[in-house]
Amino acid sequence: MKQTIIITHASYAKGIYEAMQFIVGASENVHVINSFTENIHPENDFIDLLNSFDPNDKVVVLTDLKGGSVNQFVAKHLTERHFYLITGVNLGTAIEVMVMNEDDINDERLREVVQSGKNDLVYMNDEIEHLQNKIQNEDFFE
């Protein structure tokens, strides 16, 4: 079975999950770990959740910041149990992971998901300027 864990600083994980539910519906296989904040560090919640899964489950963990404490904590557990870890998560990436079939969960496909998430990060001022220039340079009357 495919399991997805979203674990981030503050309430970002909850926000991602709520937005995912709004767009594609709920999933019982998406789990949100209560927030990492200055005073709350739910390491045991993560470990307990990870250990509650069947060893054959394909587990994808989504974190927010590559150099952040949450990702560092989660990454150190990669030596104890195999799971897939994606950091720098955005809503598009989270949704793409959520709707993936279990059979599609592998290194190659997750690398494609990460690249897609990178491609979705766009400075729209330049994008709009590019589109405006394209429209101005086309002759619509030919």
Side-chain angles (χ1 to χ4, degrees):
M1 179 178 298
K2 180 184 79 170
Q3 305 286 351
T4 303
I5 301 173
I6 307 170
I7 181 169
T8 66
H9 292 89
S11 58
Y12 185 48
K14 181 180 176 185
I16 290 173
Y17 182 67
E18 289 175 355
M20 287 170 51
Q21 283 184 308
F22 178 76
I23 295 169
V24 294
S27 172
E28 63 185 40
N29 297 333
V30 176
H31 311 272
V32 175
I33 299 289
N34 290 325
S35 308
F36 268 72
T37 65
E38 191 173 314
N39 299 316
I40 301 171
H41 302 280
E43 292 97 345
N44 290 337
D45 294 342
F46 173 75
I47 294 166
D48 291 345
L49 180 60
L50 193 61
N51 288 334
S52 75
F53 300 144
D54 184 290
N56 295 318
D57 284 350
K58 291 189 177 180
V59 180
V60 180
V61 180
L62 307 173
T63 65
D64 52 358
L65 293 170
K66 181 180 176 183
S69 58
V70 175
N71 191 63
Q72 290 178 28
F73 165 77
V74 171
K76 75 179 183 180
H77 291 283
L78 283 168
T79 60
E80 300 163 8
R81 176 165 176 183
H82 181 268
F83 57 90
Y84 301 93
L85 176 58
I86 297 175
T87 192
V89 68
N90 59 35
L91 182 57
T93 301
I95 289 172
E96 198 165 348
V97 168
M98 181 181 172
V99 301
M100 288 176 72
N101 293 321
E102 179 181 2
D103 294 338
D104 293 333
I105 303 291
N106 59 58
D107 293 328
E108 181 180 341
R109 180 66 182 105
L110 289 172
R111 285 184 185 104
E112 292 171 2
V113 169
V114 168
Q115 187 59 49
S116 176
K118 289 178 182 180
N119 292 342
D120 285 345
L121 186 62
V122 175
Y123 182 54
M124 285 303 295
N125 294 51
D126 289 344
E127 190 76 9
I128 290 170
E129 184 177 322
H130 171 75
L131 290 172
Q132 287 173 337
N133 288 338
K134 186 175 178 180
I135 290 169
Q136 288 173 356
N137 292 330
E138 290 183 15
D139 187 355
F140 290 99
F141 300 106
E142 286 186 6

